[in-house]
Amino acid sequence: MVAQTRTHGQPSPTKLRFKDKLVGRGLSTDQLLKKLKALHQELAELDQEHVDVASLHPVRKELINPSILLHKDRGVKAYAACCLADLLRLYAPDAPYTQNELRDIFQFFFRQLTNGLKGPDSPYYNEYFHLLESLSTVKSVVLVCDLPQGDDLMVDIFRDFFGLVRRDLAKKIELFMADILIALIDECQSLPSEVLETIMAQFMDKNARMDQPAYRLAVQVCKATADKLQRHVCQYFTDIIVDQAREERYEEVQTAHNLIQQLNRACPSLLHNVVPQLEEELRVEQVQLRIMSTQTLGEMFADKHGMDLVTKYPSTWAQWLARRNDKTVTVRLTWIDAMKGVITNLPEVRKETDEALRHKLYDPDEKVRAALCKLIGQLDYETALHHVSVELLEGIAGRGLDKKHTVRTEAFHAIGRLYSLAYPEIENNDPAAIKHFAWIPAKVLQNASVGREVKAVAEQTLADFILPLPTLPSSSSSKGAEIDEVAWTDRLLLTMRYLDEVSINTLYSFSNLKGTRPTLYEKFVNVCVEYNGGVIDEDEEGVTERMNAILKVTAAQFPDPHKAMEDLQAFAKSNEGRLYKLLKTCMDIQTDLKGLVKARSEFLRRLEQSSSSAVGTMSIFLRRATLHLVNSSSIPTFVKRVQKGFEPSAVAYSQTQTQTLGQTFSMFVSGTGSNEPEGRAQHAAHSAQLWLTYLSKHCPAVYKAHVGEFSKAIADERNARLVEACLQALAAVASWDAKLAPSDKRTVDRVMRFVMESNARHAKFAARLIACMRNAEELCEQVIESISDTLADVDPDKLVAHIAVLAQLALRAPDAFEQKSDVVTAFLVKQVLKSSSAEDDEMETDEDWVDDAIMPLELHAKVLALKVCRNRCLAHASSETALEIAQPVIRMFSTVLQYEGAFSADARDSPKTKSRLRLQAATSLLHLSTIQKYVQEVAKHFVAIALTIQDPVYQVRMSFLDKLVSLLSRGKLPVQYNIIPFLSVHDPEEDVKSKAQAYVSYALRAMPKAARLARFESTFIRLLHLLAHHPDFKIEHEYLPDIAKYIQFYLDLVASNENVSLLYHIALKAKTVRDAESHVYSENLYACGELSQHLIKAHAKAHGWNLETYPGKVRLPGDILRALPSAEAANEILKTVYLPEEALAWLAEKQSKAAQEAKPDKVRAPRKPATKRKAATKTNGAAKRQRTARKRKADESDEEESDHSQSEDDDDDDDGEKPTSPGKQAEVPESSSEEEVEDENEEKNGKRRTRAQAKKQARRAAKRQAKAAASDD
């Protein structure tokens, strides 16, 4: 029975006028089509509210006749569908058909749409559009939900529509479809699972985008029905994940998680019931599920709606953050990977994420640490600036010292890349960029000094990101494009603005400017040319031997010597002449920046084609063999920057600059140093002058093309800094090649005027220069005669300048100097050195050091006077009168050391005067020890020289050690000087001990076996002899532990499984000889020998070494030891035990502990910031003072510029050298014990030592020295 759709009584309802039959025999298709078209037009015009539905009954039945619904003609079916849709509209809300009929009708509708709706040009498009519009607006389609088998029909509708929408139809059609599907979901009682699967299938494609119609339709439907679909979606994923995980079909589970991510991007509101489910997955035991949920939630949190998710599900957020500590590495790695989006898109939780990431820097697994470093390195500049804290970036930089190579590489790459991105902003003086990133180069360079492996990675970071070479302009760029040499040089100078002294020194070492020429790498290329790929015509055996030797030495310089050896061998065998030529061009000192970039680029391109596996090794080769940081192209910019930083002062900038770079960096970041451009110009000028000074010392050949520029620059006499730098450069290049010395009268006259002026720095370098000029002898004689005549009458400032000139000419023009040497030396000794300064007479002070910048003129004159005496000795080293000249000078220097910086015991000099003179005397004796004729004479005072490393003043100790290491590294000092660094073990400042330790460790690695034996192993007896002569040595138990520390320090650095037997043998031999000076020292030596035997045994046990009998013979040094008078005496000594019983008990206990706690052999511990220790109570007669607050500058401008001659090497070693100031003290943790706090308080009290105590200790030391001198006599 058909339900009635209208009530009676409505005014004048409209009746259907169409009376034709639609079904019957003989009715042609055209006739039927015409009738249906007419019916459709009339039905479409009828209003639902004013229609007489009774008049519709005839067509209602005929339209569902099979002859029409199954008609072959597409047009008939299209119009029939429109008519049926109109009838449903007119009859609404009640349907005029049975449920089965409705099912057939709707199937008919969607069949027509699927088959016919193909585009605006397809037949009957308007009819299909009308049908779809009717279904959308009238919502008659909801009747499907009440039909039997309606679920199946609903599934078909969804499938048909998602297939249909892909035909790229009009936007309105897409909207109609969305309305229809939304209506179906809203009205259905239960959503068929196939419908949900159909919708979900639209999100499966990871590359789906909103411009894809099916995806767009799915998103529209999901957003409109999210409330209804949430429960179904949750059940959908629960079923998949639980069922598939149980069967361990993790590919299906992963697909489901990928789908969740897609849905989250498109319609996050759909997943509100899924998030708790993902949280539960984070806790399950199945690793795969934890990985997937960690990754999925990470994507969801990183989405633009992520903060809403964090707020709504705080427990899920907390549980996800906790996955950083998951027991499985893969989960932790997944968490790290997901953090990139979180960092970028969730700034509100930066504090939590930052802390979590900082903890992961110390994850026990290297892959996690490396992944975190890589993650930070992938961030863009804005993200790193605004969403990553400086503390996290510093932590990443700290991983540059990680034990694992992969972590080190990723860490350096990350911070290097970020610096490269930030550099334009740093250049623009952006305070935020400076605070966040400007410290990076300093950290990279500090890390580079730790070890060879770290150095290689830091070196690459420097070359790739921090100070890269410019790239060649591409052929497509404009014709006038050139390499910007000024920008390249300015980048170096700006980077140096934020470096500390240690970093600057490391940067110098990376510049490849220092060292003898030809370098190791130049020698390698030369041997490769000789080797000729193995085809050798003459001296085949010699060439092959040289090839093997140079390969071995060169490969040893690389981080991976084995691979380097293979690659270098292959390179040598390839014998490509063009590559050799390009390498030589790259290594040539005179090659400018453009030539270097061009040659390097071609070399690597050709090498890539011929042997790509060797590119890595040869890239390192290029970095270490070429001037890629500073070269000839840098000089004009350096000079211009010094000019722009003009300060109208009589004293050069290098002498007045007291503010450290580190302080400048802090000031600049805080915003107090924003006086641009003046501030930047001053810093650039300072950095440029540092480079010019360094070049003058170590690579003056770079100046060859710039002599004219320097000659012109010194005419600007108002700019003291510029004049100083250019005079030093001219002097250096003239010393390298006298032909390059300026000879024009105007320049010569100007230089002569500088020599006679009162600026000591200008006078000094001008004196060097005139000693190299064409008529040098005549000019030098003129200067010396003029100075010697006026020495007694000049002002103090001019006196200092004159003595500086005399110091230079005493070395460089000895013949001219000797003409007035008697007058000069007499004046210097009587009127300068032995005079009491006005300051010493006026006041007493506790200051024990004064920097060069504020050194009083009287003291400066005294220091220079000592240099005059030293240089005179050096200049006459090869003459017959050498010893006659040197002996009184050596005695004078030893007297200064004996009286702790004075020339007599009752001198009233101030502590700072004494400390400067002690330092100068000690370093002068080191220089004189480099001359073979003077070695024996200086050796008489070896103990006093060695004890300088235990001077009470930090700056004296550090500067002395700097000079000692410098000379030892070049092999210029006798072997016994290698034992002096071991006396630093008690130093209260860690950096003194660290520097000594670093030198010994490096030397032991670098030296061949024979050199190690001569310089470190065989000299063990000399260490024992030195300790026996130490003023603090007593054969009493309370003193011996301090002495034992010296020996233990030596063993920790030098002893190995191979040499421990030799060292033990030497310790035994100590009791078979006597001291050359006195019986007292002999007994001290025997006690030292016994002490070292016990310590060596304990050390060997601790390392698991076998202490076997040494098979060889050892010859003890005859200059300090003598043979025993008889066999009876020898037996008596051997039987006697010289150590007290308490000491033996202490050693036995120490040995048993060592046996129980065997430790691994020499494992490098990570560096930690060390707190300052108190000075040992027993040093060489006086307590060592910790360094003052004033920091040492790295002004070594008075060191000689090159290593081309003995005299040049030894000139003016320590003018301006000041010890590096200490690093910051480590913070004391809250958990520090009471004992540590007490120790710290004692240390502070020790620093406040009174002057009376200092005097008392000084007197004690003087008495000991006098006693020792008396025993000498």
Side-chain angles (χ1 to χ4, degrees), residues 186-476:
D186 285 340
E187 290 298 322
C188 70
Q189 295 298 317
S190 62
L191 188 71
S193 59
E194 292 89 343
V195 169
L196 190 60
E197 288 172 3
T198 302
I199 297 173
M200 295 296 104
Q202 313 312 313
F203 296 94
M204 290 292 189
D205 185 3
K206 289 184 178 180
N207 299 318
R209 301 181 309 275
M210 286 301 287
D211 58 353
Q212 296 172 344
Y215 179 75
R216 191 165 57 236
L217 176 61
V219 171
Q220 284 180 280
V221 172
C222 288
K223 283 184 176 180
T225 60
D227 293 340
K228 183 79 176 278
L229 290 179
Q230 278 181 21
R231 179 173 54 83
H232 299 285
V233 169
C234 179
Q235 189 62 46
Y236 171 79
F237 285 115
T238 301
D239 293 343
I240 292 178
I241 293 170
V242 172
D243 294 345
Q244 301 300 332
R246 188 182 296 121
E247 300 295 327
E248 295 188 356
R249 291 187 221 143
Y250 292 113
E251 289 184 7
E252 297 296 326
V253 180
Q254 181 63 61
T255 303
H257 283 85
N258 292 341
L259 179 55
I260 292 173
Q261 294 172 37
Q262 285 289 92
L263 285 172
N264 182 68
R265 283 190 282 270
C267 185
S269 57
L270 207 61
L271 300 173
H272 285 172
N273 293 334
V274 177
V275 175
Q277 179 185 339
L278 292 172
E279 181 182 341
E280 286 303 314
E281 287 182 37
L282 294 173
R283 299 187 177 97
V284 300
E285 282 296 318
Q286 292 163 289
V287 175
Q288 292 292 337
L289 280 184
R290 294 207 306 280
I291 292 172
M292 293 178 201
S293 56
T294 301
Q295 195 264 338
T296 301
L297 279 170
E299 288 284 336
M300 294 171 73
F301 287 130
D303 189 71
K304 58 185 177 181
H305 309 290
M307 196 57 221
D308 296 336
L309 204 61
V310 172
T311 306
K312 190 168 184 179
Y313 301 98
S315 64
T316 305
W317 168 247
Q319 187 59 227
W320 183 78
L321 277 181
R323 286 312 93 209
R324 69 182 184 273
N325 297 323
D326 195 281
K327 61 185 178 182
T328 304
V329 173
T330 317
V331 178
R332 302 202 298 273
L333 284 171
T334 305
W335 183 86
I336 292 285
D337 291 339
M339 278 301 294
K340 182 178 180 181
V342 174
I343 292 171
T344 305
N345 298 316
L346 284 183
E348 297 89 347
V349 293
R350 170 181 159 178
K351 186 175 179 181
E352 291 178 73
T353 56
D354 211 74
E355 183 181 356
L357 289 171
R358 286 205 306 273
H359 283 121
K360 287 297 96 188
L361 289 169
Y362 308 100
D363 192 278
D365 193 277
E366 64 180 281
K367 293 191 287 294
V368 176
R369 302 195 300 273
L372 175 53
C373 295
K374 185 175 183 179
L375 164 71
I376 299 300
Q378 290 171 343
L379 300 177
D380 60 82
Y381 168 73
E382 291 295 334
T383 301
L385 178 64
H386 298 295
H387 304 312
V388 179
S389 68
V390 176
E391 291 77 12
L392 178 55
L393 292 178
E394 288 174 343
I396 296 292
R399 287 299 90 205
L401 298 179
D402 199 281
K403 292 181 180 179
K404 300 297 183 181
H405 175 73
T406 52
V407 183
R408 292 196 300 269
T409 303
E410 292 293 351
F412 275 120
H413 183 276
I415 59 173
R417 179 180 172 275
L418 290 177
Y419 180 80
S420 180
L421 294 175
Y423 177 77
E425 300 305 319
I426 295 173
E427 189 178 29
N428 290 335
N429 202 33
D430 180 356
I434 291 169
K435 181 179 180 180
H436 230 72
F437 303 107
W439 55 270
I440 287 175
K443 190 66 176 178
V444 170
L445 291 165
Q446 288 165 9
N447 289 351
S449 60
V450 171
R452 181 184 301 178
E453 296 82 3
V454 180
K455 179 182 177 181
V457 187
E459 190 179 60
Q460 183 174 353
T461 304
L462 197 73
D464 291 348
F465 298 111
I466 297 174
L467 297 171
L469 283 170
T471 53
L472 284 172
S474 60
S475 56
S476 59

